[in-house]
Short mmCIF file of all heavy atoms in Angstrom, two decimals:
data_model
loop_
_atom_site.label_atom_id
_atom_site.label_comp_id
_atom_site.label_asym_id
_atom_site.label_seq_id
_atom_site.Cartn_x
_atom_site.Cartn_y
_atom_site.Cartn_z
N HIS A 140 141.80 -81.75 24.52
CA HIS A 140 142.57 -80.58 24.94
C HIS A 140 143.99 -81.03 25.25
O HIS A 140 144.20 -81.84 26.16
CB HIS A 140 141.93 -79.95 26.18
CG HIS A 140 142.51 -78.62 26.56
ND1 HIS A 140 141.99 -77.85 27.58
CD2 HIS A 140 143.56 -77.92 26.08
CE1 HIS A 140 142.70 -76.74 27.70
NE2 HIS A 140 143.67 -76.77 26.80
N PHE A 141 144.96 -80.53 24.51
CA PHE A 141 146.38 -80.73 24.82
C PHE A 141 146.90 -79.47 25.51
O PHE A 141 146.73 -78.36 24.99
CB PHE A 141 147.20 -80.94 23.55
CG PHE A 141 147.06 -82.29 22.91
CD1 PHE A 141 146.10 -82.52 21.94
CD2 PHE A 141 147.92 -83.33 23.25
CE1 PHE A 141 145.98 -83.75 21.32
CE2 PHE A 141 147.81 -84.57 22.65
CZ PHE A 141 146.83 -84.79 21.68
N ARG A 142 147.56 -79.64 26.67
CA ARG A 142 148.26 -78.54 27.35
C ARG A 142 149.75 -78.85 27.29
O ARG A 142 150.22 -79.76 27.99
CB ARG A 142 147.79 -78.40 28.80
CG ARG A 142 146.35 -77.97 28.95
CD ARG A 142 145.93 -77.97 30.41
NE ARG A 142 146.64 -76.97 31.20
CZ ARG A 142 147.59 -77.24 32.09
NH1 ARG A 142 147.97 -78.48 32.30
NH2 ARG A 142 148.15 -76.27 32.77
N ILE A 143 150.48 -78.13 26.44
CA ILE A 143 151.90 -78.40 26.23
C ILE A 143 152.71 -77.39 27.05
O ILE A 143 152.54 -76.18 26.92
CB ILE A 143 152.26 -78.28 24.74
CG1 ILE A 143 151.38 -79.21 23.91
CG2 ILE A 143 153.74 -78.58 24.53
CD1 ILE A 143 151.45 -80.67 24.30
N ARG A 144 153.60 -77.92 27.91
CA ARG A 144 154.35 -77.09 28.84
C ARG A 144 155.80 -77.54 28.95
O ARG A 144 156.09 -78.73 28.92
CB ARG A 144 153.72 -77.14 30.24
CG ARG A 144 152.25 -76.70 30.31
CD ARG A 144 152.12 -75.22 30.10
NE ARG A 144 150.76 -74.76 30.29
CZ ARG A 144 149.87 -74.58 29.31
NH1 ARG A 144 150.22 -74.83 28.04
NH2 ARG A 144 148.65 -74.15 29.55
N GLN A 145 156.69 -76.57 29.10
CA GLN A 145 158.09 -76.82 29.42
C GLN A 145 158.71 -75.48 29.80
O GLN A 145 158.54 -74.50 29.09
CB GLN A 145 158.85 -77.44 28.24
CG GLN A 145 160.29 -77.79 28.54
CD GLN A 145 160.91 -78.63 27.45
OE1 GLN A 145 160.33 -79.62 27.01
NE2 GLN A 145 162.07 -78.22 26.98
N ARG A 146 159.43 -75.45 30.92
CA ARG A 146 159.93 -74.17 31.43
C ARG A 146 161.36 -73.92 30.93
O ARG A 146 162.34 -74.18 31.63
CB ARG A 146 159.88 -74.14 32.96
CG ARG A 146 160.22 -72.78 33.56
CD ARG A 146 160.00 -72.76 35.06
NE ARG A 146 160.45 -71.51 35.65
CZ ARG A 146 159.72 -70.39 35.69
NH1 ARG A 146 158.52 -70.38 35.16
NH2 ARG A 146 160.20 -69.30 36.26
N ASP A 147 161.46 -73.42 29.70
CA ASP A 147 162.78 -73.08 29.19
C ASP A 147 162.74 -71.86 28.26
O ASP A 147 163.75 -71.56 27.61
CB ASP A 147 163.40 -74.27 28.45
CG ASP A 147 162.59 -74.71 27.23
OD1 ASP A 147 161.50 -74.17 27.00
OD2 ASP A 147 163.06 -75.62 26.52
N GLY A 148 161.60 -71.14 28.22
CA GLY A 148 161.47 -70.07 27.26
C GLY A 148 161.54 -68.67 27.81
O GLY A 148 161.42 -67.69 27.06
N LEU A 149 161.76 -68.50 29.12
CA LEU A 149 161.76 -67.17 29.72
C LEU A 149 163.18 -66.67 29.98
O LEU A 149 164.14 -67.42 29.88
CB LEU A 149 160.99 -67.19 31.04
CG LEU A 149 159.48 -67.39 30.95
CD1 LEU A 149 158.87 -67.54 32.33
CD2 LEU A 149 158.83 -66.23 30.20
N GLY A 150 163.28 -65.40 30.33
CA GLY A 150 164.55 -64.83 30.78
C GLY A 150 165.48 -64.43 29.67
O GLY A 150 165.14 -64.44 28.48
N SER A 151 166.71 -64.10 30.06
CA SER A 151 167.70 -63.57 29.12
C SER A 151 168.41 -64.66 28.34
O SER A 151 169.17 -64.35 27.41
CB SER A 151 168.73 -62.72 29.88
OG SER A 151 169.38 -63.52 30.86
N ASN A 152 168.21 -65.92 28.71
CA ASN A 152 168.87 -67.03 28.02
C ASN A 152 167.82 -68.09 27.67
O ASN A 152 167.85 -69.21 28.18
CB ASN A 152 169.96 -67.63 28.90
CG ASN A 152 170.74 -68.72 28.19
OD1 ASN A 152 170.92 -68.67 26.98
ND2 ASN A 152 171.18 -69.73 28.95
N PRO A 153 166.86 -67.74 26.80
CA PRO A 153 165.79 -68.69 26.50
C PRO A 153 166.30 -69.89 25.70
O PRO A 153 167.23 -69.78 24.91
CB PRO A 153 164.80 -67.87 25.68
CG PRO A 153 165.64 -66.82 25.02
CD PRO A 153 166.73 -66.51 26.01
N TYR A 154 165.67 -71.03 25.94
CA TYR A 154 165.95 -72.28 25.23
C TYR A 154 167.45 -72.60 25.26
O TYR A 154 168.10 -72.73 24.21
CB TYR A 154 165.44 -72.20 23.78
CG TYR A 154 164.06 -71.61 23.69
CD1 TYR A 154 163.86 -70.35 23.13
CD2 TYR A 154 162.95 -72.30 24.19
CE1 TYR A 154 162.59 -69.79 23.07
CE2 TYR A 154 161.68 -71.74 24.13
CZ TYR A 154 161.51 -70.49 23.58
OH TYR A 154 160.26 -69.94 23.52
N PRO A 155 168.04 -72.74 26.44
CA PRO A 155 169.49 -72.94 26.53
C PRO A 155 169.98 -74.21 25.84
O PRO A 155 171.13 -74.24 25.38
CB PRO A 155 169.75 -72.99 28.04
CG PRO A 155 168.43 -73.36 28.64
CD PRO A 155 167.40 -72.74 27.77
N ASN A 156 169.13 -75.22 25.74
CA ASN A 156 169.55 -76.45 25.07
C ASN A 156 169.47 -76.34 23.55
O ASN A 156 170.11 -77.12 22.83
CB ASN A 156 168.71 -77.63 25.54
CG ASN A 156 168.94 -77.97 26.99
OD1 ASN A 156 170.05 -77.79 27.50
ND2 ASN A 156 167.92 -78.46 27.67
N GLN A 157 168.68 -75.39 23.07
CA GLN A 157 168.52 -75.17 21.62
C GLN A 157 168.48 -73.66 21.37
O GLN A 157 167.45 -73.11 20.99
CB GLN A 157 167.23 -75.85 21.13
CG GLN A 157 167.29 -77.38 21.26
CD GLN A 157 165.91 -78.00 21.26
OE1 GLN A 157 165.10 -77.72 22.15
NE2 GLN A 157 165.62 -78.84 20.28
N PRO A 158 169.58 -72.96 21.57
CA PRO A 158 169.57 -71.49 21.53
C PRO A 158 169.16 -70.91 20.19
O PRO A 158 168.73 -69.76 20.13
CB PRO A 158 171.02 -71.11 21.89
CG PRO A 158 171.82 -72.34 21.64
CD PRO A 158 170.92 -73.49 21.90
N TYR A 159 169.27 -71.68 19.11
CA TYR A 159 168.85 -71.18 17.80
C TYR A 159 167.35 -70.92 17.74
O TYR A 159 166.88 -70.21 16.86
CB TYR A 159 169.26 -72.17 16.70
CG TYR A 159 168.74 -73.57 16.91
CD1 TYR A 159 167.50 -73.96 16.41
CD2 TYR A 159 169.49 -74.51 17.60
CE1 TYR A 159 167.02 -75.24 16.60
CE2 TYR A 159 169.02 -75.80 17.79
CZ TYR A 159 167.79 -76.16 17.30
OH TYR A 159 167.31 -77.43 17.50
N PHE A 160 166.58 -71.48 18.69
CA PHE A 160 165.14 -71.20 18.75
C PHE A 160 164.88 -69.70 18.79
O PHE A 160 163.90 -69.22 18.23
CB PHE A 160 164.52 -71.83 19.99
CG PHE A 160 164.21 -73.30 19.87
CD1 PHE A 160 164.59 -74.03 18.76
CD2 PHE A 160 163.53 -73.95 20.88
CE1 PHE A 160 164.31 -75.38 18.66
CE2 PHE A 160 163.23 -75.29 20.79
CZ PHE A 160 163.62 -76.02 19.68
N ALA A 161 165.73 -68.97 19.51
CA ALA A 161 165.50 -67.53 19.71
C ALA A 161 165.50 -66.76 18.40
O ALA A 161 164.93 -65.67 18.33
CB ALA A 161 166.54 -66.97 20.66
N GLU A 162 166.11 -67.30 17.36
CA GLU A 162 166.21 -66.60 16.08
C GLU A 162 165.18 -67.06 15.06
O GLU A 162 165.15 -66.53 13.94
CB GLU A 162 167.63 -66.79 15.51
CG GLU A 162 168.73 -66.25 16.42
CD GLU A 162 170.12 -66.53 15.88
OE1 GLU A 162 170.21 -67.12 14.77
OE2 GLU A 162 171.09 -66.18 16.56
N MET A 163 164.34 -68.01 15.41
CA MET A 163 163.38 -68.55 14.46
C MET A 163 162.15 -67.66 14.37
O MET A 163 161.49 -67.37 15.37
CB MET A 163 162.97 -69.97 14.87
CG MET A 163 164.10 -70.97 14.76
SD MET A 163 163.72 -72.61 15.45
CE MET A 163 162.32 -73.10 14.44
N ALA A 164 161.82 -67.21 13.16
CA ALA A 164 160.67 -66.33 12.96
C ALA A 164 159.36 -67.05 13.25
O ALA A 164 158.38 -66.45 13.67
CB ALA A 164 160.68 -65.77 11.54
N ARG A 165 159.32 -68.35 12.96
CA ARG A 165 158.20 -69.21 13.36
C ARG A 165 158.74 -70.17 14.40
O ARG A 165 159.69 -70.92 14.12
CB ARG A 165 157.67 -69.99 12.16
CG ARG A 165 156.94 -69.16 11.12
CD ARG A 165 156.38 -70.04 10.02
NE ARG A 165 155.47 -69.31 9.15
CZ ARG A 165 154.69 -69.89 8.22
NH1 ARG A 165 154.75 -71.22 8.06
NH2 ARG A 165 153.89 -69.18 7.47
N LEU A 166 158.15 -70.15 15.59
CA LEU A 166 158.78 -70.94 16.66
C LEU A 166 157.84 -71.97 17.27
O LEU A 166 157.92 -73.15 16.96
CB LEU A 166 159.33 -70.01 17.74
CG LEU A 166 159.99 -70.72 18.93
CD1 LEU A 166 161.12 -71.63 18.47
CD2 LEU A 166 160.48 -69.71 19.96
N LEU A 167 156.91 -71.54 18.13
CA LEU A 167 156.21 -72.50 18.97
C LEU A 167 155.36 -73.47 18.17
O LEU A 167 155.40 -74.68 18.39
CB LEU A 167 155.33 -71.76 19.99
CG LEU A 167 154.66 -72.67 21.04
CD1 LEU A 167 155.71 -73.31 21.94
CD2 LEU A 167 153.66 -71.89 21.86
N VAL A 168 154.57 -72.97 17.23
CA VAL A 168 153.73 -73.87 16.42
C VAL A 168 154.61 -74.72 15.52
O VAL A 168 154.46 -75.94 15.44
CB VAL A 168 152.71 -73.08 15.60
CG1 VAL A 168 151.88 -74.04 14.73
CG2 VAL A 168 151.79 -72.27 16.51
N TYR A 169 155.55 -74.07 14.85
CA TYR A 169 156.40 -74.75 13.87
C TYR A 169 157.26 -75.83 14.52
O TYR A 169 157.44 -76.92 13.96
CB TYR A 169 157.29 -73.72 13.19
CG TYR A 169 158.23 -74.26 12.14
CD1 TYR A 169 157.81 -74.43 10.82
CD2 TYR A 169 159.55 -74.59 12.46
CE1 TYR A 169 158.68 -74.91 9.86
CE2 TYR A 169 160.42 -75.08 11.50
CZ TYR A 169 159.98 -75.25 10.21
OH TYR A 169 160.83 -75.74 9.25
N GLU A 170 157.83 -75.54 15.70
CA GLU A 170 158.81 -76.45 16.29
C GLU A 170 158.20 -77.40 17.31
O GLU A 170 158.64 -78.55 17.43
CB GLU A 170 159.93 -75.62 16.95
CG GLU A 170 161.22 -76.39 17.20
CD GLU A 170 161.12 -77.41 18.33
OE1 GLU A 170 160.39 -77.15 19.31
OE2 GLU A 170 161.78 -78.46 18.23
N THR A 171 157.19 -76.95 18.07
CA THR A 171 156.68 -77.76 19.17
C THR A 171 155.26 -78.26 18.93
O THR A 171 154.97 -79.46 19.05
CB THR A 171 156.72 -76.97 20.50
OG1 THR A 171 158.07 -76.57 20.76
CG2 THR A 171 156.21 -77.80 21.65
N LEU A 172 154.35 -77.37 18.56
CA LEU A 172 152.94 -77.76 18.48
C LEU A 172 152.61 -78.59 17.25
O LEU A 172 151.53 -79.19 17.19
CB LEU A 172 152.04 -76.53 18.56
CG LEU A 172 152.18 -75.70 19.84
CD1 LEU A 172 151.10 -74.63 19.91
CD2 LEU A 172 152.17 -76.56 21.10
#
Side-chain angles (χ1 to χ4, degrees):
H140 189 174
F141 284 91
R142 294 175 66 252
I143 305 302
R144 302 289 186 264
Q145 183 169 311
R146 187 173 174 83
D147 62 355
L149 291 174
S151 59
N152 184 33
Y154 315 110
N156 294 328
Q157 295 159 298
Y159 56 89
F160 279 6
E162 300 176 2
M163 293 172 61
R165 290 184 169 189
L166 179 57
L167 187 66
V168 178
Y169 180 86
E170 199 288 326
T171 301
L172 300 189

